Each structure stands twice: as C-alpha cells, then as structure tokens.
C-alpha cells in the first residue's frame, strides 16, 4: 500500500533534516530530527533489533505522535529507518501512542494505542499494524476498542499495549484505570492465532495499584527471568514514598512475583524502582537470540523537558541493559557488546582520595566507559565530578553516614529551576564501592555494585569540551580505576 500523505510528509522531512552524526550521541539512539519519547516495539525481527519510538519529527517538543524507527545488529550502532507510523487513520488522528511488537508467522506485528477525538475529549484504543520490518499496514479498525474493558474503566486512559506470545497465542498487557482512578494492568488474549486483527478477549486484571504507586500505570511490560515473573510499569503522578525509594511525578517500577500464565493470578512478592537517576522512564525489554533479557528506556524525565535552544533533536534512549538477578535484586548492566568495544586507555591502583579534588592524567572525556573500585573504610563521603570545565560540572556523591546517593546537576549549565538534584537511599556497600560509569556526549549512566543500583541522567546543557573528571572524599578512600575508549 502507498504511504499516506501524512507518513510521506514525515519521511520526506526527516530525510531532509537529518542531524549530522557529530551532534548526536555515539552509541545511544536518538531521533534523526525532532522529538522522541518512549521506546516502542522493542523487538528482534529479521536478524535485527528494532527500536521504534514516540516521535514528532517537526519540532523538539511533543506533538502529534508518530512512530520513529531505527535498527541495529549490535545494540550500539543505530541506523535510522523511515518513520513507521503516522497519525493518518480516523482512529489514531490524535496520535499513534506507545506499544509493542512481536514476530508472528514471518511478519512484524506492531500494536499501538490509537488516540481519537470523541465528544469533548479523546478515547484510546489498541490498534494493529503488520509489516516487513520497514513498511507497515494498519488494520482497518482498532482490534481492541476502549469499551472492551471491565465496567467503570477509563476510556481516556487505556494505553501502551505490550505484546507477547504465550505458547501458540498472542497476548497483550495494557495500562488502564479503574473506577477508583487507580492504575491497573489488563491482560487480553487473541483467540484466533491465524488472525491478529480478530477481536481480542479480556482475560484478567493482572495487577492493580494499591494506591501507593501513583495513578495511571503507563507502558507495562512482562517477562519471566529464571522462574520469577517481572511486571514493568511506569506510574504517573507518584508521590515521593516515605522511604524515598520512589520519587514524585513519573517513576518506573518492577513488581516481582510468581505467575503461571494467563488466567492465573500474579502473586506479587516485592517491588523495586528501576533507576534512581534524574532521567529514566517507559522502559521495554526484549529477549535476544542468545537468551539475554535486554531493557531500554527513555533517558528523560517528563518534568524536565527543556530542549537546548537551536537543538535539532531532543530525547534519547538509554544504553540497552542486560537484566539479571543477584539474590532477590533485579540488576542491570550494559550489554556485553559494549564490553567488546572497550580499549583500555589508562589504569590506576591505590590512589588515595581526600578532600582535595584528585585529577588523574588521561582521566577525562565525554565518550567513555570507566570502572572504579573504591575502598571506603575510612571515608564518610566519596564523590566524583564529571563533565567539568568552564565552571560547569555534574556530581555523583555517596554520603556514607546517612546512606544517601546524591546526584547533582545544578552546575551543569541549565537555567531552569527543578529536577537537578536527586537523593535516594544508597544500597549497602560493605566498605567497597564498585562503580561503572558510561558517558556518551549527552548522557551519563551509573551502575553501582555490579548493577544493583542504577542512575541515569541526560546532559544537554554542558558543552562537549567540559570533559574533566575528578574525585573527592571526606575522610580517606583509596581508588582503583580503569578507563576505556570505545571503538565504535
Ligand atoms: C508515556 C506516555 C505513554 C503514551 C506516550 C505518548 O511517556 O505518556 O503513556 O503512550 O507517552 O507520547
């Protein structure tokens, strides 16, 4: 089928306005031009990883949502493909919102939320598009209309279907809101495996908000890793929890439990935040051909969207991260493909760190991978500043007496007041900090204690030549460090 006028226009626009790679991250996915939010349709199909994303090519702010598209064979090099979906059907006129993808009988199925006007407001329904990895044809009507929900559910908040297979059947998990206003995850099943466009049937409410974690639950996900089932959610309107583990606004959580499949209850055992940095939302996961569960998220916070003046793109994805367990904790580490690209630049051992900043030869840069091992036995505080220069810096600090991890971007060069400082409970360290830091021009990602605690932040306001790194302590610490360039 010929692409519609709206889709052709988006494709033409992005082809003509593609940003010079020198002004994009080296190995983090971004839109070629314009705005992006949530990763969508994160899947492996036709020998490639497919990343779609919420996309507005025409400006660096949110607008009528399209699905942008990029592919990769190594999760580090991203090739832009033409825009995949545009809001060009009567049922998605107000936007093609987030959703998932799966390979099905040799085809790539996309399921997304179509937003359309109704009365004074809008409704959200789940819609299907089928394609070959580049061009997608929409079904004629939503496959899951908004009135196919239990009584009292919201028709306006019914979005972000996550698509998965359960044996021979296709299933979807979608975010909704019950009569009490609280978020819930609804599970549906396709009764006709030969026809994903046939109406889907409601199976169960898989999880419900107990009122503690925000309102609406956006962008659900589901996977089983070594016997434990994990539900991913991105709650809106969270209020900082008394233990400070969850923060105000849009946060991200995993519910960990046991589940025996559609129709059986999800037995929730624990919950945990996924990232305690300043910028992280709406993650999705996929399974790689070699069996790894890999997560990617939007490296941004809805309450801190200030594109730098003159920027041609805004919004980026996190590094793809492998998920694994350490005991009961769901941990994250950069994909192994990044390790393979490392080239050792410099290594240090037993460097004493006190109050005075320690600056080490060759330890600098904005595109790098670095690992620290810090003995903290006589330290009450340890920290580092990075992206330093011309009076700018960003700081990661561990206040060991209070058990607080502190991320401070107030001096990075922005002129907005808000979302520049986060303090979260620090995980137990047992006297030794293991910290991995990955920098890629416009972002920093930190993995503590082998990925038991993770923190991400975007860095749009610090010029590229602010590339200094320094360490400091209160009391005394001793530092081993290895720093790698990345051959990409
Ligand atoms: C989450 C979200 C989704 C929605 C999309 C719209 O960030 O609000 O719920 O589908 O963004 O762009």
């Amino acid at each position: 089928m010929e692409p519609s006028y709206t889709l052709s226009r988006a494709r033409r626009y992005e082809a003509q306005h593609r940003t010079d790679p020198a002004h994009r991250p080296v190995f983090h996915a971004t839109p070629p031009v314009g705005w992006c939010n949530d990763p969508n349709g994160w899947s492996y199909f036709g020998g490639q990883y497919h990343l779609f994303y919420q996309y507005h090519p025409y400006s660096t702010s949110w607008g009528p949502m399209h699905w942008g598209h990029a592919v990769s064979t190594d999760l580090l090099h991203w090739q832009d493909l033409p825009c995949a979906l545009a809001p060009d059907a009567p049922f998605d006129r107000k936007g093609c919102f987030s959703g998932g993808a799966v390979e099905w009988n040799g085809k790539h199925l996309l399921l997304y939320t179509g937003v359309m006007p109704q009365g004074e407001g809008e409704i959200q329904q789940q819609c299907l598009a089928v394609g070959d990895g580049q061009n997608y044809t929409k079904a004629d009507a939503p496959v899951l209309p908004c009135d196919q929900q239990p009584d009292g559910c919201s028709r306006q908040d019914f979005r972000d279907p996550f698509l998965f297979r359960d044996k021979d059947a296709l299933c979807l998990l979608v975010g909704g809101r019950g009569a009490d206003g609280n978020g819930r995850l609804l599970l549906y099943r396709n009764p006709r495996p030969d026809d994903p466009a046939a109406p889907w049937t409601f199976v169960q409410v898989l999880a419900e908000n107990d009122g503690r974690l925000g309102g609406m639950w956006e962008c659900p996900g589901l996977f089983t890793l070594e016997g434990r089932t994990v539900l991913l959610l991105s709650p809106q309107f969270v209020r900082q929890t008394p233990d400070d583990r969850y923060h105000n606004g849009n946060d991200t959580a995993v519910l960990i439990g046991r589940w025996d499949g559609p129709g059986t209850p999800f037995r929730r055992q624990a919950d945990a935040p996924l990232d305690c940095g300043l910028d992280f939302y709406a993650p999705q996961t996929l399974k790689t051909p070699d069996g790894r569960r890999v997560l990617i998220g939007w490296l941004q916070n809805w309450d801190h969207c200030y594109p730098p003046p003159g920027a041609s793109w805004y919004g980026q994805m996190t590094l793809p991260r492998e998920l694994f367990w350490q005991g009961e904790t769901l941990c994250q580490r950069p994909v192994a493909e990044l390790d393979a690209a490392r080239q050792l630049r410099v290594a240090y051992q037993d460097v004493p760190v006190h109050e005075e900043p320690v600056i080490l030869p060759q330890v600098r840069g904005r595109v790098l991978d670095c690992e620290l091992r810090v003995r903290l036995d006589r330290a009450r505080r340890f920290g580092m500043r990075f992206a330093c220069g011309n009076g700018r810096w960003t700081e990661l600090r561990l206040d060991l007496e209070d058990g607080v991890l502190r991320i401070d971007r107030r001096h990075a060069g922005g002129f907005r007041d808000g979302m520049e400082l986060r303090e979260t409970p620090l995980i137990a360290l047992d006297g030794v900090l293991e910290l991995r830091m990955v920098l890629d021009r416009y972002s920093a990602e930190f993995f503590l204690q082998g990925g038991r605690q993770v923190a991400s932040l975007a860095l749009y306001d610090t010029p590229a030549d602010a590339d200094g790194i320094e360490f400091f302590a209160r009391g005394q610490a001793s530092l081993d460090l290895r720093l790698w360039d990345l051959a990409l």
Side-chain angles (χ1 to χ4, degrees), residues 37-38 54 62 65 97-98 159-160 218-219 281-282 298 302:
N37 55 286
D38 317 356
Q54 290 287 278
W62 193 88
M65 279 291 113
F97 276 18
S98 288
R159 60 178 173 273
D160 310 336
E218 300 186 317
C219 304
Y281 197 58
W298 183 38
W302 274 115

Side-chain angles (χ1 to χ4, degrees), residues 345 360 362-370 384-388 437-441 443-444 459 463-470 483-485:
R345 188 198 301 175
L360 298 168
Q362 294 195 70
V363 177
R364 61 185 317 125
R366 289 283 288 276
V367 181
L368 55 81
D369 190 350
C370 180
M384 66 186 288
R385 289 183 175 180
F386 54 97
C388 306
M437 169 174 77
V438 179
L439 300 183
D440 187 9
R441 289 188 180 147
S443 67
L459 268 182
D465 60 355
D467 66 353
I469 297 176
E470 52 190 61
L483 186 148
W484 292 267
D485 290 305

Side-chain angles (χ1 to χ4, degrees), residues 144-427:
L144 179 52
C146 60
D147 46 20
Q148 218 176 301
Q149 295 184 81
D151 285 349
C153 285
S154 161
R155 294 153 65 89
Q156 288 81 32
D157 285 323
F158 183 44
R159 60 178 173 273
D160 310 336
F162 166 71
L163 194 52
F164 65 102
R165 297 146 170 276
D166 177 65
K167 303 186 191 84
D168 288 338
L170 277 174
C171 295
L172 73 85
L173 188 65
V174 60
R177 216 151 49 79
D180 57 3
N182 281 338
R184 47 175 55 187
L185 303 183
L186 306 159
L187 183 72
Y188 292 80
R189 194 164 184 279
N190 184 301
R192 292 263 313 271
D194 56 319
D195 181 12
W200 292 57
T201 48
F202 174 71
V203 180
Q204 70 192 114
V205 173
L206 196 58
E208 267 180 289
N209 196 346
D210 56 10
R212 197 173 52 97
L213 254 182
M216 168 70 184
W217 283 355
E218 300 186 317
C219 304
L222 167 78
F223 59 88
T224 296
L225 187 63
E226 289 167 24
R228 266 173 287 189
T229 297
V230 177
L231 291 177
L232 268 184
L233 26 126
S234 294
Q236 286 181 303
F237 314 119
V238 177
R239 293 214 163 73
Q240 187 101 359
T241 48
D243 58 10
D244 289 333
R245 289 199 314 150
Y246 295 98
H247 59 73
N248 290 325
N250 292 58
D251 204 346
T252 304
V254 284
L255 308 182
I256 301 166
R258 303 274 166 181
W259 190 51
D260 296 324
T264 68
F266 173 74
R267 297 187 304 279
R268 173 172 166 176
Q269 293 165 332
D271 65 85
L274 263 178
D275 190 301
C276 65
L278 292 166
D279 301 294
F280 183 80
Y281 197 58
Q284 296 199 338
T285 73
L286 59 68
K287 196 168 180 184
T288 61
D290 61 5
R292 292 172 290 161
R293 179 56 59 179
V294 172
L295 171 140
I296 195 165
W298 183 38
L299 215 171
Q300 191 60 51
N301 180 319
W302 274 115
D303 289 324
H304 192 278
C305 291
Y306 303 119
S312 62
W313 61 271
Y314 190 67
Q316 58 189 314
M317 297 301 152
T318 65
L319 196 55
R321 303 167 180 175
E322 290 169 16
L323 300 180
F324 61 101
W325 300 105
Q326 265 185 47
E328 302 293 304
T329 308
L330 185 67
C331 303
Q332 305 170 50
R333 65 178 163 233
V335 282
E337 285 81 348
L338 191 72
D339 300 35
R342 286 164 150 194
Q343 291 186 340
L344 189 67
R345 188 198 301 175
V346 68
Y348 289 94
Q349 250 187 327
D350 297 324
V351 180
V353 185
H354 320 259
E355 302 269 335
E356 281 303 302
V358 173
I359 299 173
L360 298 168
Q362 294 195 70
V363 177
R364 61 185 317 125
R366 289 283 288 276
V367 181
L368 55 81
D369 190 350
C370 180
E371 282 185 23
L372 312 180
R373 191 179 156 79
V374 191
R375 284 167 295 282
L376 297 161
D377 17 298
R378 284 186 292 140
R380 298 187 301 283
R381 171 180 292 176
F382 174 81
M384 66 186 288
R385 289 183 175 180
F386 54 97
C388 306
N390 297 323
R392 310 254 187 264
W393 72 84
T394 296
E395 186 176 287
L396 175 110
R397 189 170 103 189
L398 280 59
D399 285 331
L400 297 158
E401 283 173 335
D402 300 335
V404 171
L405 173 67
R406 194 166 173 280
I407 293 165
D408 183 352
R409 192 177 50 190
R410 290 173 302 172
H411 301 274
F415 54 87
R416 301 284 184 162
D417 181 25
M419 294 311 306
E420 305 290 19
L421 180 67
R422 168 107 58 230
E423 292 185 337
T424 349
L426 175 68
I427 50 163

